[in-house]
Amino acid sequence: MNIDLARTFLEIVDTGNFNKAAERLSVTQSTVSMRIRALEDELGRPLFVRSKSGTQLTAAGMQFRRYATTMVRVWEQARQELALPAGFRTVLNVGGQFSLWDRLLVQWIPWMRTAMPDVALKAEVGSSDGLMRQLIEGMLDLGVMYSPLSRPGLHIEKLLEERLVLVSTRRRSVAEWDDDYVLVDWGPEFRAAHSQAFPDLKTPAVSVGLGALGLQHILAYGGTGYFPMRVVRSYLSAGRLFEVAGAPEFRRPAYLVYAEDETREDWFVTALDGLRYVASLESED
């Protein structure tokens, strides 16, 4: 079976739509339809039911999903391992959101190199949606992210819980509001809790979608903002930032996601244990 057929099937399952699957795969909708027809002809069963409300799996499609996921994952693993240089037994593909690479995953890489020197590492940075898609397609072995989506065949566990604290470049209390407040978008749960805590807050002059950008801005030009304690701890110790007295704190969990597989080899179990260990060192309580 052509592996592109399985990839196309999984994209439709993930998006629920032939058009969106075509956009992700950078092909035309007619190509997607042709691939699914070819796949259904090979299997001798219809895999999807299409309607105005979207695309749904048939009973046969639900059964095939597990096999398609395994096929794509095995193909990617074989393709990568055949290209491995001498001295390495396998390659581990790991992805994480940008702010989780800071301190957490960056510390895990040297830990892993020491614990399993014969395992090559390939690191990726992406959004939760992009990382989930790569996990489904078998292009990633594990991912660390804030907002994973529940998908069949993937295991999700909470890795750590970040404590978002309000910090400023000068000593102040929350009653002394700072016009240089920088609103960092830490996700939908944070936005909802933030709006509830500060219902009368006017639109800030600066809003950013990347925590590192917001932090660099206030360090360079002054201001106030919410950031993970694990990220700002060194700046607090050095006196470059100060916690805002009386300000509410928010929690933001991060998750470890990987494919369910009872036959995992020792190197993968070691990698998971290493991530859990490094995460435990970043405890903020």
Side-chain angles (χ1 to χ4, degrees):
M1 179 184 293
N2 188 328
I3 200 68
D4 285 337
L5 302 185
R7 288 191 193 281
T8 303
F9 169 83
L10 290 173
E11 285 292 350
I12 297 171
V13 171
D14 192 42
T15 62
N17 186 288
F18 275 56
N19 287 330
K20 291 180 180 178
E23 291 176 7
R24 282 191 179 181
L25 294 167
S26 299
V27 298
T28 63
Q29 183 185 348
S30 60
T31 298
V32 170
S33 298
M34 181 180 64
R35 289 178 180 176
I36 295 304
R37 282 197 298 270
L39 183 57
E40 290 176 331
D41 288 344
E42 282 195 42
L43 296 173
R45 302 283 296 278
L47 300 174
F48 294 103
V49 176
R50 300 175 68 177
S51 65
K52 292 182 179 179
S53 60
T55 302
Q56 296 181 339
L57 286 169
T58 64
M62 294 179 69
Q63 285 183 307
F64 180 66
R65 177 169 52 188
R66 176 164 56 92
Y67 296 107
T69 301
T70 301
M71 287 167 56
V72 172
R73 185 179 300 118
V74 170
W75 168 257
E76 286 296 330
Q77 184 176 353
R79 185 176 62 82
Q80 292 164 4
E81 290 187 0
L82 288 173
L84 279 176
F88 292 97
R89 57 169 162 165
T90 190
V91 58
L92 176 63
N93 296 277
V94 57
Q97 289 189 240
F98 184 86
S99 57
L100 286 167
W101 276 106
D102 183 40
R103 291 179 62 85
L104 177 63
L105 290 170
V106 165
Q107 289 187 36
W108 171 78
I109 288 179
W111 184 96
M112 187 65 182
R113 292 295 302 128
T114 300
M116 304 293 289
D118 58 347
V119 174
L121 302 174
K122 182 179 179 183
E124 302 283 351
V125 178
S127 64
S128 286
D129 288 346
L131 295 172
M132 287 297 298
R133 184 165 65 252
Q134 292 184 74
L135 283 161
I136 291 169
E137 293 177 353
M139 299 175 70
L140 286 180
D141 296 302
L142 57 88
V144 182
M145 66 197 78
Y146 292 112
S147 303
L149 299 174
S150 179
R151 290 289 185 269
L154 292 180
H155 175 79
I156 299 174
E157 67 176 80
K158 185 158 73 171
L159 185 62
L160 58 83
E161 189 170 65
E162 292 186 325
R163 183 158 61 101
L164 297 174
V165 295
L166 188 62
V167 297
S168 179
T169 48
R170 65 183 180 88
R171 296 183 185 275
R172 50 180 292 272
S173 71
V174 71
E176 308 169 81
W177 193 252
D178 188 353
D179 290 335
D180 291 328
Y181 178 66
V182 175
L183 177 60
V184 181
D185 185 358
W186 293 109
E189 294 83 4
F190 171 79
R191 290 197 299 269
H194 185 274
S195 296
Q196 187 174 9
F198 302 104
D200 300 322
L201 178 65
K202 296 179 181 179
T203 302
V206 179
S207 300
V208 297
L210 183 63
L213 178 60
L215 181 59
Q216 291 306 311
H217 175 82
I218 69 169
L219 287 171
Y221 303 105
T224 303
Y226 272 100
F227 299 96
M229 175 58 81
R230 66 179 177 84
V231 174
V232 299
R233 186 182 291 117
S234 62
Y235 297 105
L236 293 170
S237 298
R240 295 190 64 188
L241 293 175
F242 306 92
E243 281 196 68
V244 176
E249 296 182 354
F250 303 103
R251 297 284 175 162
R252 191 187 191 202
Y255 299 90
L256 175 60
V257 186
Y258 53 93
E260 296 175 344
D261 187 349
E262 296 180 357
T263 62
R264 286 293 188 190
E265 296 187 53
D266 62 328
W267 57 267
F268 191 82
V269 175
T270 299
L272 295 178
D273 289 341
L275 272 171
R276 296 180 186 117
Y277 170 71
V278 173
S280 71
L281 299 178
E282 292 297 313
S283 175
E284 298 172 353
D285 294 314

